Amino acid sequence: MLYFPRMSLLRKLSVTVLLALACLLPAAPALAHEERPVSFPDGTGSVPVYRITGPELLVCKTDRADFDKRVATFPAALKEQNLRLFERCQKDGFRHLQEAVDQVKGPGYNIKILPGLYQEEPSLPEPTGACANLPARLSSFGYQILSFEQQQKCPHNQNLVAILGIKDLQIEGTGAAPRDVIVDAQYKKLNAIRADMTNGIYFRNFTAQRTTFNSLYILASDGFVIDRMLTRWNDEYGFLTFASDHGLYTDCESHGNGDSGIYPGSASDINAGRSHDVPRYSIEIRGCKSYQNMVGYSGTAGNSVWAHDNEFFDNMAGASMDSLFPDHPGLPQNHAKFEKNKIYNNNKNYYNHVRDGTCAKPAGQRGYESGVVCPQIGVAPGTGILTAGGNFNVYRDNWIYGHDRTAFMLLWAPAFLRGEEALDKQADTSHDNFYGGNRLGVAPDGSVRPNATDVIWDGQGSRNCWDTQAPTSPYVVPGCGGKPGELAGAGSHRLVGEPAKLAHSLVCAEYNVTERRLPAGCDWFGSSGLARVEVQVTLGTSVFIGLIVALLWWRRLRTAPAAAASGAGADAAAAPRAGRLGAVSAVLALAGLALDVAGAAYDYTLLPAAALLLLGGGLTGMGLALRREYRFFGGATIVLGALTLLDAVDKSLLLIPWLPLSPAWLRGLFAIVWVLWAVVRLAPRPRTTPVPESTSPAEAPA
Amino acid sequence: MRRPHPYRLMIGTAAAVLLLGACGQPVTTHHRPGTDHAPATAAAGTPHVHGDHQTRDVPATEAPSVRLEVRPDSESGWNLHLVTDRFTFTPDSVGGAALPGTGHAHLYLDGKKIARLYAPWHHLAAEAVPAGTHTLTVRLSADDHTLWSSAGKPVESSATIEGPQRAAKGTATAATPAIPDTPTTQGTAAGQPTRINVRISGRTVTPPPGRVEIEEGAKVRLEVTADRTDTVHVHGFDLERPLTPGIPAIIEFTADRSGLFEVETHESGLVLTQLVVR
């Protein structure tokens, strides 16, 4: 039991609500990492352009026979070029990428890596001497959070290849495809390649793979390009770019990551404070493919990212952006624009690898190469695009199809989750998100590939809108106008999410890969029917309220005629009618409560609204019958019934605008008062009392 | 003294309760530490160069293992089954660094490499095997094409295989792989195979276990019918078949080595018969 000293009821309630909300935190894909404090670049840079001039450094291996085999099937001209480069490289080239990076004397260098496998053996030994004892805080993940100076001093404590503070460097694989040049960390480093404070860096046409965190990590850089790169098999991310501006991902590919393939986290927050009208985007992502990850794309504070013409498929969820975690510059997340992407069939469920202990093995033994993914956090499998706290995001003209759960999921992330406590900030997400004009449930070839639902939304936030075809949860959502910023109707204006969805998040958030904990009540991990927390909570509530309804009828309504007949000033002729009204109403209410249990798992249908209609009607009727004897309690019962009917309207006809709390909340909060009141009214009356109307033989305690 | 802001107090209380485990974790960090991010320290064996190939030696306790099973296909050729332990096929990462317990297999016919196998099952076409007796060998290889080895010996397994009779017979069965009731030019036994039928009921073996004399090089057709799930094993030839209740398991092979070999069941430990090959 929680104890809150000297707090008002309201404040206790607030704390309880906040606690529930706090537990929401890890429910959505929480896409983040721990890093030294960094701030955004000043934005004076630009997106670098591919160069064919400038000082050149070559990297290759020495085995000629192996090289011949690797280039054997190249187109003639490319093969010729590579053979020439190989000869040159034997004379004045380097055997490891890091050796070449260390020879860069200034901006504008080009490093060419020839086809081969690069394991960077000189970087592999365990740190010794001062590097083994750096004074730095340990992150919760177990690695040290090093300063830039410490990274410079000990570049291979965490990185296979470290590019630190070098400007305008271009690194290119000279093969026919990214797979011809492989930088392989063999799960021996956190990062395969770290580019830190490297304005103007350009990566092209090679593969980086097998790390215990990220394959390619670009940090605090103004100007970067990731061009035809492949990353795969990482505990967390394929591409991770953080606190950077003027970035371009183009024609990249990533798969087999425990978090996401593409992560433009804390992209420069250049559009904060603007509406939908923005001058530019900080990072552009185009022509990329991301598959067989926990999520294809993700970004805590993925601000001002323009993602277009990409394919995110065969992940647990296609794309995600959020505002859930502290220490990410630029929160809350805002102004991502998703256009013309194909986001489909994101229905993978990798939780079996957590369940059977595969993910508890060391990284190299989990089998990432044969399709194992270890989901780092709880995510709802079967989701197209998830937004957990974000504003002014635009999702339009995308193909989103074939999802077993939903095309779009939108949730609220209260500000204190990211460490901001000011009250006026708590509801600063999720607003003004535009999900209009997408092609939902249909593939580009015209074939019909429906999503199970088009929207799952907790109902919080203002001016969010959707154009939909499949069912949605809630049953009605605000429609979009023609362009971002325009709605088809009044929209909605709620400060808090729906209680049932909060309870659901609370349970799902208990997922923990380390402890192999897969919450039994959460459908994300396979529970169904009565095992689902929504159904259990509804069942519990229905049984409890049902008991009160039944007792009220048995003790206070069934005998109403007798009480009325003997009562002072009662209308004796109306008494039997009131008795019948009470009985019919109680039956209606009980039927509504029963139906509500069945509807709990199907809130994208009209079942919950039908249940609420019955319950609301029943409670109103009971209130009318009770009013004869208990004027105020009867009145309260009518109010509860009316709020329930309002909830039915909210869940079937129109999401009622301008309400800061949904009818479900109003009804739930009022129900607490009503239940207490009902218990008082149900209490056996004293045998002798000076008030005659409150005594009847049937109600006297035995 | 300055009073704390009421909401600050409220949120502070909430955070404190969270820290105490109200819903598992504090909210002050990034996503919960997930899987172990500890970098791998194990070395992927010691490479050795042997002429045109390299081996990668790993201690016996960590070494992968392979057993090759050859089954005639019902239509043509053979189905090869690689039963591996401590090994995963990783076709997607071929060309990458050697990682313990991963890679692919190389298939050799009489010592000549004929295929690279990326999965535990492989269909070998009848045309791939010339007439006569041949040795099939599989060796496990790392992603970088070095061969896994233990104590200096490659991790491998072999089986003999009879190439089909072709034009010589000129029959419709010519293209199908040799099975023992097809006469063979090998060895001295040009006639029908030696047939041995054994039934197991409970712990009773019918006929009672005895010795069967077989000429070296002769074909043997062993048919075992059991009343429970088990595995039958022919020692010396290292042949195994699963036993399914009521369904005869058939093992056909050429007794190409002399000696005394027991045929027994694994689970129930029954000796079914002894083969005396000379």
Side-chain angles (χ1 to χ4, degrees):
Chain A
M1 180 70 199
L2 305 176
Y3 174 66
F4 304 110
R6 288 185 299 164
M7 292 175 93
S8 68
L9 176 65
L10 182 63
R11 197 172 300 169
K12 283 177 194 170
L13 273 175
S14 311
V15 170
T16 311
V17 168
L18 274 173
L19 278 176
L21 297 174
C23 296
L24 252 177
L25 153 67
L31 311 149
H33 72 301
E34 281 190 274
E35 185 49 79
R36 68 169 195 263
V38 281
S39 48
F40 292 127
D42 60 12
T44 54
S46 59
V47 179
V49 177
Y50 177 69
R51 283 189 302 267
I52 49 170
T53 56
E56 197 171 83
L57 301 172
L58 299 180
V59 186
C60 64
K61 296 293 177 189
T62 53
D63 184 341
R64 175 66 196 241
D66 177 72
F67 188 77
D68 284 345
K69 250 193 275 179
R70 289 175 188 270
V71 301
T73 57
F74 285 8
L78 185 66
K79 184 175 168 183
E80 187 61 28
Q81 185 197 350
N82 269 285
L83 290 170
R84 265 202 320 274
L85 286 171
F86 187 79
E87 293 306 325
R88 249 185 64 204
C89 181
Q90 295 308 306
K91 288 201 270 305
D92 59 9
F94 301 91
R95 304 296 162 252
H96 306 284
L97 175 56
Q98 185 69 60
E99 287 177 1
V101 169
D102 292 343
Q103 290 305 311
V104 171
K105 310 284 187 221
Y109 268 71
N110 301 334
I111 294 177
K112 287 188 169 171
I113 320 178
L114 275 64
L117 169 64
Y118 297 85
Q119 301 178 52
E120 300 290 305
E121 290 84 351
S123 306
L124 292 178
E126 292 283 301
T128 53
C131 286
N133 294 294
L134 288 174
R137 181 169 74 83
L138 274 181
S139 77
S140 54
F141 296 87
Y143 60 83
Q144 280 191 304
I145 300 171
L146 303 180
S147 67
F148 184 73
E149 291 71 29
Q150 286 171 326
Q151 293 282 2
Q152 278 183 314
K153 192 174 155 197
C154 307
H156 303 304
N157 273 24
Q158 301 178 343
N159 316 300
L160 193 69
V161 177
I163 306 164
L164 306 168
I166 299 174
K167 308 290 179 229
D168 298 325
L169 175 62
Q170 178 172 300
I171 301 180
E172 177 186 11
T174 64
R179 283 174 179 79
D180 294 327
V181 175
I182 295 176
V183 177
D184 194 339
Q186 306 172 67
Y187 305 109
K188 290 178 177 175
K189 296 290 174 191
L190 284 179
N191 309 302
I193 297 173
R194 177 194 190 93
D196 194 343
M197 315 254 286
T198 50
N199 295 353
I201 188 125
Y202 198 115
F203 291 105
R204 179 167 156 130
N205 194 35
F206 67 96
T207 296
Q209 65 184 32
R210 299 208 270 217
T211 74
T212 60
F213 227 95
N214 325 294
S215 272
L216 180 57
Y217 182 19
I218 299 176
L219 173 66
S221 297
D222 195 355
F224 71 82
V225 174
I226 293 169
D227 178 5
R228 274 172 271 175
M229 292 287 291
L230 167 66
T231 55
R232 52 190 180 179
W233 307 318
N234 303 287
D235 278 1
E236 298 274 344
Y237 312 104
F239 300 101
L240 169 63
T241 58
F242 195 74
S244 293
D245 196 358
H246 290 104
L248 170 65
Y249 292 64
T250 177
D251 302 287
C252 66
E253 182 176 344
S254 191
H255 62 95
N257 301 291
D259 202 314
S260 63
I262 296 171
Y263 178 93
S266 277
S268 245
D269 196 17
I270 52 176
N271 293 317
R274 292 181 198 274
S275 69
H276 280 293
D277 191 16
V278 298
R280 73 170 177 99
Y281 288 88
S282 56
I283 292 181
E284 180 182 353
I285 299 174
R286 67 184 186 209
C288 288
K289 285 184 183 179
S290 187
Y291 52 95
Q292 289 166 17
N293 309 289
M294 185 185 78
V295 288
Y297 162 110
S298 71
T300 299
N303 304 322
S304 301
V305 177
W306 178 29
H308 64 99
D309 299 284
N310 301 291
E311 285 187 54
F312 304 139
F313 58 98
D314 283 345
N315 305 285
M316 297 176 81
S320 155
M321 48 230 79
D322 69 271
S323 302
L324 290 169
F325 299 91
D327 304 331
H328 280 63
L331 287 172
Q333 186 274 338
N334 63 88
H335 289 95
K337 182 165 78 168
F338 271 60
E339 288 179 323
K340 292 186 279 181
N341 299 290
K342 298 183 189 79
I343 298 175
Y344 56 96
N345 298 351
N346 292 291
N347 298 316
K348 290 278 183 195
N349 193 327
Y350 293 117
Y351 291 122
N352 58 319
H353 302 310
V354 178
R355 203 173 272 120
D356 69 12
T358 303
C359 295
K361 294 180 187 173
Q365 296 170 27
R366 290 174 200 151
Y368 288 166
E369 296 87 346
S370 11
V372 171
V373 170
C374 291
Q376 297 294 332
I377 38 187
V379 68
T383 303
I385 299 180
L386 162 64
T387 308
N391 302 321
F392 290 105
N393 294 302
V394 174
Y395 311 93
R396 67 178 172 203
D397 299 332
N398 301 287
W399 283 273
I400 303 180
Y401 55 91
H403 292 104
D404 290 348
R405 186 176 308 271
T406 192
F408 301 116
M409 188 181 282
L410 178 64
L411 303 170
W412 168 41
F416 74 93
L417 295 181
R418 55 176 203 262
E420 295 198 49
E421 296 176 357
L423 189 69
D424 59 345
K425 286 196 169 180
Q426 296 311 313
D428 64 358
T429 66
S430 295
H431 309 293
D432 301 284
N433 296 296
F434 178 89
Y435 299 82
N438 294 291
R439 276 152 283 197
L440 303 176
V442 60
D445 67 4
S447 61
V448 176
R449 309 278 298 283
N451 301 299
T453 62
D454 276 351
V455 178
I456 293 180
W457 175 38
D458 63 5
Q460 185 270 349
S462 301
R463 301 172 300 280
N464 300 301
C465 72
W466 290 265
D467 290 338
T468 62
Q469 277 154 20
T472 61
S473 161
Y475 187 77
V476 280
V477 295
C480 287
K483 62 180 196 328
E486 291 180 0
L487 275 79
S492 67
H493 311 80
R494 293 178 191 174
L495 296 174
V496 189
E498 285 295 282
K501 282 176 175 142
L502 288 180
H504 175 258
S505 298
L506 195 81
V507 169
C508 297
E510 284 299 297
Y511 170 76
N512 187 312
V513 62
T514 322
E515 295 169 16
R516 234 196 270 182
R517 192 167 60 218
L518 298 144
C522 177
D523 56 333
W524 301 354
F525 310 104
S527 73
S528 61
L530 263 182
R532 288 180 63 170
V533 58
E534 310 91 304
V535 182
Q536 286 176 351
V537 167
T538 314
L539 179 66
T541 314
S542 281
V543 167
F544 185 64
I545 303 278
L547 196 67
I548 289 176
V549 165
L551 281 173
L552 277 174
W553 172 74
W554 180 262
R555 288 197 154 177
R556 298 290 175 256
L557 290 171
R558 186 173 56 97
T559 54
S566 62
D571 180 0
R577 242 186 4 252
R580 277 198 302 279
L581 175 65
V584 169
S585 300
V587 168
L588 277 181
L590 290 172
L593 287 166
L595 193 60
D596 204 26
V597 178
Y602 303 98
D603 64 351
Y604 51 88
T605 67
L606 278 173
L607 214 54
L612 291 171
L613 191 65
L614 288 172
L615 178 61
L619 286 172
T620 309
M622 285 177 73
L624 287 171
L626 283 165
R627 255 176 76 85
R628 297 171 53 79
E629 198 177 353
Y630 307 103
R631 194 167 157 216
F632 292 108
F633 177 63
T637 309
I638 293 171
V639 170
L640 184 62
L643 285 174
T644 306
L645 289 172
L646 191 69
D647 199 8
V649 170
D650 197 62
K651 285 183 165 61
S652 59
L653 297 175
L654 166 77
L655 207 68
I656 298 164
W658 302 299
L659 285 182
L661 282 176
S662 71
W665 272 111
L666 299 176
R667 179 169 75 88
L669 293 173
F670 191 77
I672 296 171
V673 179
W674 180 81
V675 163
L676 293 173
W677 201 339
V679 169
V680 172
R681 280 288 163 246
L682 282 167
R685 294 160 186 177
R687 193 178 291 274
T688 56
T689 165
V691 185
E693 67 168 10
S694 62
T695 310
S696 77
E699 286 152 10
Chain B
M1 200 182 115
R2 199 170 145 253
R3 271 190 60 186
H5 190 278
Y7 292 111
R8 196 172 279 269
L9 178 73
M10 180 173 83
I11 289 157
T13 314
V17 172
L18 281 171
L19 280 167
L20 291 171
C23 51
Q25 293 288 323
V27 298
T28 51
T29 184
H30 304 265
H31 79 57
R32 289 176 183 177
T35 52
D36 183 8
H37 291 76
T41 50
T46 321
H48 301 280
V49 180
H50 302 273
D52 63 339
H53 70 276
Q54 271 199 329
T55 58
R56 195 172 277 281
D57 215 49
V58 284
T61 49
E62 298 163 21
S65 69
V66 62
R67 190 177 77 240
L68 174 65
E69 291 179 353
V70 182
R71 307 177 186 181
D73 183 73
S74 58
E75 289 189 355
S76 79
W78 298 265
N79 292 312
L80 312 188
H81 186 198
L82 277 60
V83 184
T84 58
D85 193 24
R86 288 197 289 263
F87 188 78
T88 312
F89 289 90
T90 51
D92 211 14
S93 59
V94 70
L99 239 63
T102 64
H104 53 271
H106 293 172
L107 176 67
Y108 306 82
L109 181 72
D110 297 331
K112 182 170 174 281
K113 190 170 148 192
I114 56 169
R116 192 189 290 177
L117 273 49
Y118 280 130
W121 285 97
H122 178 75
H123 179 253
L124 184 63
E127 298 75 36
V129 183
T133 305
H134 302 277
T135 305
L136 271 181
T137 304
V138 286
R139 289 175 169 177
L140 297 187
S141 164
D143 278 346
D144 64 354
H145 304 295
T146 53
L147 294 172
W148 291 114
S149 69
S150 181
K153 286 161 66 179
V155 176
E156 63 179 12
S157 173
S158 294
T160 51
I161 191 167
E162 288 294 319
Q165 295 300 299
R166 297 182 208 277
K169 278 194 72 183
T171 67
T173 59
T176 64
I179 51 169
D181 53 7
T182 311
T184 168
T185 55
Q186 287 287 314
T188 54
Q192 290 294 307
T194 308
R195 289 172 185 272
I196 305 167
N197 290 326
V198 181
R199 293 191 73 84
I200 309 168
S201 174
R203 297 196 62 82
T204 310
V205 179
T206 317
R211 289 190 175 183
V212 181
E213 301 253 341
I214 298 162
E215 216 171 315
E216 187 174 347
K219 296 282 184 183
V220 180
R221 179 187 162 93
L222 179 66
E223 188 175 319
V224 182
T225 314
D227 63 347
R228 65 185 65 179
T229 306
D230 207 330
T231 309
V232 60
H233 181 206
V234 184
H235 282 269
F237 299 91
D238 263 351
L239 297 166
E240 272 188 11
R241 292 290 182 276
L243 291 174
T244 310
I247 300 171
I250 295 167
I251 306 178
E252 292 164 329
F253 62 100
T254 306
D256 55 2
R257 66 182 72 176
S258 59
L260 176 67
F261 307 106
E262 286 191 337
V263 179
E264 62 170 18
T265 54
H266 269 172
E267 297 292 318
S268 48
L270 297 172
V271 175
L272 306 185
T273 186
Q274 291 177 320
L275 311 177
V276 184
V277 184
R278 53 187 162 199

